């Protein structure tokens, strides 16, 4: 799949569902935005805002006019998921932006979110664009147990605060699918491999494991990863998600153990960043930056835990 490509999700019994490769960080196979073509058309997540036109082009290809889009559903307010919300709200004047209450003020005034993102992503900020504020009267707050009615489909809200306190996952019962946000890790489809995500500043291992349990209780046939793409798990959802729990626990243990060997945390970040094996999938720069960011998240967790 190349940057800008739009594909229909055909995994399991999915219908009316599409995804586009947004080319996040100038990398293919890393950032996906989903489109549900229903009576009330919806997109799930928005990318970082850079090249948001690719999402508008995807809507056009699917046959949804900008003025017909009604729902912009944001899994959480990290800018790789919500950075394009203001741009898309401006381009799609009849769409409301649905977000957890903790995120409302940050979408209306993204300044603190920008500062936090710059601190978290380091030189990856070069790939971002300053987000546009979302008008407050276009923001709809959602909480655990809510459902966004789209027509044939609905997006049921499940809170998943391990990655961030404002994170939710959306269940689409009609498709027996879940839009996993970052609660199920990063799926690398070309390798059929699941990898950790643990960015600062809110990563919390035990709560992440509780989020995995939440997804296991939903027991979907299809996991729709923002990073990256749909994955059919069928009757093996519990095992597939348990695999992510094991990956995450092992990742934290490895960072903690190596931290005990090295003189400082910068050396720790450099150790893992220089040894990432995902360069062939994402490019060397993105792979190293991702690893370094995830190390910093674990360090913050360990410091608060201790």
């Amino acid at each position: 799949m190349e940057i800008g490509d739009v594909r229909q999700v055909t995994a399991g019994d999915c219908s009316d569902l599409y995804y586009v490769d947004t080319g996040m960080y100038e990398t293919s196979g890393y950032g996906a935005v989903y489109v549900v073509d229903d009576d009330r058309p919806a997109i799930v997540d928005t990318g970082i805002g850079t090249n948001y036109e690719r999402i508008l082009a995807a809507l056009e290809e699917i046959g949804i006019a900008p003025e017909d889009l009604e729902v912009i559903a944001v899994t959480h307010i990290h800018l790789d998921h919500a950075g394009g919300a203001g741009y898309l709200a401006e381009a799609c004047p009849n769409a409301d932006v649905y977000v957890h209450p903790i995120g409302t003020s940050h979408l209306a005034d993204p300044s603190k979110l920008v500062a936090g993102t710059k601190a978290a992503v380091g030189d990856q900020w070069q790939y971002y664009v300053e987000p546009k504020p979302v008008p407050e009267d276009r923001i709809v707050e959602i909480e655990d147990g809510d459902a966004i009615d789209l027509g044939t489909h609905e997006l049921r809200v499940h809170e998943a605060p391990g990655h961030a306190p404002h994170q939710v996952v959306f269940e689409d019962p009609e498709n027996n699918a879940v839009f996993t946000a970052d609660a199920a890790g990063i799926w690398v489809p070309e390798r059929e491999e699941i990898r950790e995500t643990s960015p600062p500043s809110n990563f919390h291992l035990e709560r992440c494991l509780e989020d995995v349990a939440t997804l296991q209780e939903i027991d979907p046939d299809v996991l729709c990863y923002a990073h990256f793409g749909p994955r059919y798990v069928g009757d093996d959802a519990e095992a597939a998600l348990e695999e992510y729990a094991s990956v995450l626990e092992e990742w934290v243990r490895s960072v903690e153990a190596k931290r005990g060997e090295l003189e400082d945390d910068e050396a720790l970040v450099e150790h893992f960043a220089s040894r990432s094996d995902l360069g062939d999938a994402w490019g060397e720069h993105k792979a190293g930056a991702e690893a370094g960011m995830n190390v910093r998240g674990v360090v913050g967790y360990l410091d608060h835990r201790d």
Side-chain angles (χ1 to χ4, degrees), residues 46-49 72 74 81-90 97 107 131-134:
T46 70
I48 57 179
I72 300 171
V74 174
H81 294 256
Y87 290 93
L88 291 168
E90 182 176 73
V97 179
L107 291 187
K132 287 190 174 183
V134 177

Side-chain angles (χ1 to χ4, degrees), residues 74-81 99-103 106 113 158-169 180-184 197-209 211 244 248:
V74 174
T75 60
H76 58 302
I77 61 169
H78 288 168
L79 289 185
D80 58 330
H81 294 256
V99 68
H100 190 278
I102 293 175
H106 295 288
L113 191 56
H158 301 264
E159 292 185 352
H163 179 80
H166 40 78
Q167 180 178 253
V168 303
V169 299
T180 63
D182 287 322
T197 179
S198 59
S201 58
N202 299 124
F203 169 72
H204 189 284
L205 175 61
E206 286 73 24
R207 285 198 288 266
C208 283
L209 298 177
D211 295 346
Y244 178 56
L248 199 57

Side-chain angles (χ1 to χ4, degrees), residues 254-302:
S254 65
V255 172
E256 184 175 22
K258 184 57 65 174
R259 193 186 195 193
E261 299 173 12
L262 298 176
E263 69 243 17
D264 57 43
D265 289 341
E266 283 308 307
L268 181 69
V269 169
E270 176 58 28
H271 171 84
F272 285 97
S274 64
R275 288 165 174 78
S276 172
D277 63 350
L278 286 170
D280 60 333
W282 301 336
E284 296 296 337
H285 179 263
K286 174 56 187 166
E290 181 85 13
M293 179 175 66
N294 284 332
V295 170
R296 286 191 289 271
V298 174
V299 166
Y301 160 75
L302 293 173

Side-chain angles (χ1 to χ4, degrees), residues 73-179:
V74 174
T75 60
H76 58 302
I77 61 169
H78 288 168
L79 289 185
D80 58 330
H81 294 256
Y87 290 93
L88 291 168
E90 182 176 73
C92 303
N94 296 313
D96 287 327
V97 179
Y98 293 74
V99 68
H100 190 278
I102 293 175
T104 299
S105 61
H106 295 288
L107 291 187
D109 177 6
S111 56
K112 290 182 180 178
L113 191 56
V114 168
T117 303
K118 288 180 176 179
V121 304
D123 68 358
Q124 290 187 89
W125 180 255
Q126 65 184 293
Y127 301 112
Y128 287 74
V129 65
E130 291 280 342
K132 287 190 174 183
V134 177
E136 291 188 29
D137 63 355
R138 302 272 302 280
I139 298 175
V140 179
E141 294 184 344
I142 50 175
E143 297 183 278
D144 194 75
D146 289 345
I148 306 169
D149 184 11
L150 306 181
T152 301
H153 302 267
E154 66 178 5
L155 300 177
R156 294 182 184 173
V157 180
H158 301 264
E159 292 185 352
H163 179 80
H166 40 78
Q167 180 178 253
V168 303
V169 299
F170 294 112
E171 177 191 1
D172 175 357
E174 180 68 20
N175 279 332
N176 201 4
V178 173
F179 303 94

